[in-house]
Amino acid sequence: MFQEKKMSEDYKEMWANMGLDLEAHDALLEVLGKGYQDIYLAQKNRPEGMGYFDFVMSEVHSLRIKELLDEKAAGRKVIGAYCVFVPEEIVLAANATLVGLCSGADFATEEVEKFLPRNTCSLIKSSFGFKLGKVCPYLECSDMIVGENTCDGKKKSYETLKILVPNLYIMDIPQMKSPEGRALLKAEYIRFKEAVEELTGVTVDADSLKKGIEIVNSKRKAVQRLMRLRKAIPVPISGLDALLANQVFFYDNPARFTDSVNKICDELEARIEKKEGVFPEDTPRILVSGCPMAVPNWKLPWIIETSGAVIVGEESCVGERGTRNLTNDSANTVDELIEAIADRYFNIDCAIFTPNPDRLNHILEMAETCNADGVIHYGLQFCQPYLMEAIPVEKALEEKNIPTLRIDTDYTMEDVGQLKTRVEAFVELLK
Ligand code: BJ8
């Protein structure tokens, strides 16, 4: 007990030294802890390996931050990113650590709306809220923050974020899958490599880049393995737990994360062998497609899985869109390896691309391979790219007789009752 108190006092000092607002931060941790308890720990039949992720979440602002600060004290740099277009391979090759900057909850909304219009998506508002509310230790310990020109909302909001953070680096991202777009992405990755080299004082060479690729590929392979196991009937793990693994992907030490996911997969294989499911075999299976769900955005998955259905896949950047492709590491020069990295990332089918037929095909393919009975398209209000694409996505799925429900929502809890009614009706239809 005393030990625990002493530890929490030490962490308070650590947070205060980072410039966090302790009162606001305590309030955030309390809400987060309560939400985790009610949503995650209330689940039944969880794989034992999820204990590791429960631990990670309980320490997400403490032990992991202490690890990052220890790394920094030893001379390593930390880079924060908002988008899966930022190549972790290059960051690792320069002996730095990449962390995702979460943006999954409303915070300091009144303050945020002094800087951004009200009709901005929750994800962007959240990223500002965490900064203005001084509650995100990842943001505060980042030596460089990478913003990317993806959607208009992000692109323009970074002009303002630049005033609030001293170390914002902007990466340009193409909007079309043309040879020119591919050339732009490669040029941007070379420019990013140079900026990271300047920050770290480490020159990236072919060996370090190959090593970086290997580490990130291993992470992705573990998550791909998890994804494959969810195809089983009955499904051996809940969608909420699988989402959590996909969320922790962005924070944890990569090697430790890979091991932990593989351990869960071993356990799931044994479950599948015994035909042991997390829900009854006839539970309707849902594919969720759309905007990314960053920690602690668990609202819709929680609604779905407490309404008689199970989520069997996420067509999302916090899910398959972010992890499905590997980077080829067979080349032997820095330029060729960057080429391979650009090839890998150019395949990401984010809705900011126009036209974007790959995403549509991928959703159809996922619905089939995941044995999904229906698709729920998740769009954040005011997110033009995903809300606009939701219409052709729904049409294409209906042409294949795959029932689809379109949900537009935000991070508030105001619409929970209404969403639950709609999801329950959809699940009834699937039954
Ligand atoms: S690669 S999905 S992580 S940009 S929800 S901020 S699109 S208005 S998040 Fe994304 Fe990279 Fe694409 Fe993935 Fe804009 Fe929409 Fe808000 Fe969004």
Side-chain angles (χ1 to χ4, degrees):
M1 197 66 182
F2 171 77
Q3 190 72 11
E4 265 176 34
K5 191 161 182 332
K6 166 85 182 61
M7 268 174 63
S8 87
E9 289 306 316
D10 287 350
Y11 286 138
K12 284 213 160 137
E13 198 183 326
M14 174 180 87
W15 295 324
N17 289 340
M18 298 176 85
L20 296 193
D21 177 334
L22 291 185
E23 212 175 303
H25 186 246
D26 276 354
L28 175 73
L29 288 193
E30 201 180 317
V31 176
L32 194 71
K34 170 104 181 55
Y36 197 78
Q37 181 84 31
D38 294 348
I39 295 175
Y40 274 90
L41 303 181
Q43 296 179 96
K44 297 201 173 69
N45 300 332
R46 299 177 77 209
E48 267 177 39
M50 285 311 295
Y52 170 74
F53 290 93
D54 292 340
F55 175 72
V56 168
M57 285 310 291
S58 70
E59 293 286 339
V60 72
H61 277 202
S62 8
L63 196 58
R64 181 63 184 136
I65 296 300
K66 166 105 182 36
E67 284 181 347
L68 293 176
L69 293 179
D70 288 347
E71 285 182 13
K72 279 163 69 89
R76 202 174 161 98
K77 301 288 182 191
V78 173
I79 297 179
Y82 291 109
C83 176
V84 296
F85 268 104
V86 180
E88 190 173 4
E89 294 90 333
I90 293 176
V91 174
L92 292 175
N95 201 26
T97 297
L98 187 75
V99 291
L101 298 171
C102 51
S103 322
D106 284 336
F107 210 83
T109 308
E110 246 177 65
E111 270 300 292
V112 172
E113 287 177 0
K114 290 180 192 159
F115 291 86
L116 297 173
R118 291 193 77 181
N119 57 353
T120 303
C121 88
S122 295
L123 202 143
I124 298 173
K125 278 187 175 173
S126 170
S127 62
F128 273 61
F130 280 104
K131 178 65 205 168
L132 293 164
K134 301 194 189 123
V135 289
C136 180
Y138 290 90
L139 195 66
E140 300 307 329
C141 79
S142 294
D143 298 291
M144 177 197 265
I145 294 170
V146 187
E148 16 54 57
N149 288 344
T150 43
C151 64
D152 283 354
K154 276 185 164 182
K155 186 164 59 193
K156 295 306 284 182
S157 71
Y158 292 137
E159 290 173 16
T160 308
L161 190 66
K162 210 169 179 63
I163 305 163
L164 304 174
V165 298
N167 44 5
L168 186 68
Y169 174 94
I170 300 293
M171 180 181 281
D172 204 8
I173 302 288
Q175 312 270 302
M176 292 179 83
K177 298 273 173 96
S178 58
E180 293 78 10
R182 166 68 178 67
L184 169 66
L185 192 65
K186 185 184 171 196
E188 279 299 290
Y189 285 170
I190 292 172
R191 190 171 71 86
F192 178 61
K193 175 183 85 65
E194 288 164 359
V196 177
E197 285 175 329
E198 197 184 321
L199 177 78
T200 58
V202 174
T203 304
V204 170
D205 61 24
D207 285 344
S208 61
L209 207 42
K210 268 174 169 304
K211 184 77 199 145
I213 293 173
E214 187 195 318
I215 294 170
V216 188
N217 276 347
S218 301
K219 263 206 314 187
R220 293 181 184 130
K221 279 184 200 158
V223 176
Q224 289 173 1
R225 184 177 166 211
L226 175 64
M227 188 60 217
R228 280 196 301 275
L229 295 172
R230 294 166 73 195
K231 292 174 186 165
I233 302 174
V235 63
I237 184 169
S238 69
L240 274 165
D241 279 340
L243 173 66
L244 189 69
N246 276 295
Q247 290 175 332
V248 170
F249 181 96
F250 294 93
Y251 303 93
D252 203 3
N253 169 286
R256 192 171 57 206
F257 172 85
T258 303
D259 279 355
S260 309
V261 174
N262 277 323
K263 272 195 196 118
I264 293 187
C265 291
D266 294 342
E267 204 183 328
L268 298 189
E269 276 168 4
R271 279 187 171 197
I272 292 170
E273 185 102 341
K274 289 186 260 163
K275 279 222 152 247
E276 217 176 276
V278 73
F279 292 109
E281 192 165 330
D282 57 355
T283 305
R285 302 165 63 96
I286 307 256
L287 171 70
V288 173
S289 164
C291 291
M293 291 176 182
V295 171
N297 178 8
W298 304 309
K299 178 170 82 170
L300 184 62
W302 169 71
I303 290 174
I304 295 171
E305 295 202 329
T306 53
S307 299
V310 57
I311 299 168
V312 289
E314 300 75 24
E315 189 280 315
S316 158
C317 284
V318 184
E320 258 209 44
R321 194 186 312 127
T323 50
R324 72 175 161 140
N325 298 309
L326 300 178
T327 304
N328 186 333
D329 66 350
S330 61
N332 288 313
T333 66
V334 170
D335 187 66
E336 287 165 349
L337 289 164
I338 297 268
E339 193 79 47
I341 291 172
D343 279 340
R344 188 261 162 204
Y345 284 82
F346 200 53
N347 278 324
I348 297 173
D349 46 12
C350 172
I352 59 134
F353 282 95
T354 182
N356 193 27
D358 292 354
R359 175 163 174 254
L360 220 141
N361 294 334
H362 185 219
I363 296 170
L364 292 172
E365 183 195 307
M366 274 188 84
E368 197 186 316
T369 55
C370 298
N371 296 311
D373 298 306
V375 175
I376 295 188
H377 191 280
Y378 164 73
L380 279 173
Q381 279 164 12
F382 313 117
C383 168
Q384 301 299 345
Y386 283 91
L387 294 184
M388 290 235 182
E389 265 192 23
I391 296 165
V393 164
E394 182 178 48
K395 195 163 170 282
L397 286 162
E398 278 175 357
E399 275 166 16
K400 299 264 177 203
N401 292 322
I402 302 170
T404 308
L405 176 68
R406 265 198 283 148
I407 300 269
D408 304 347
T409 183
D410 57 16
Y411 289 171
T412 66
M413 287 299 175
E414 281 159 20
D415 59 354
V416 166
Q418 191 210 41
L419 288 183
K420 194 144 176 53
T421 309
R422 290 184 63 203
V423 170
E424 279 170 357
F426 184 65
V427 173
E428 272 311 304
L429 177 107
L430 298 181
K431 279 180 181 165

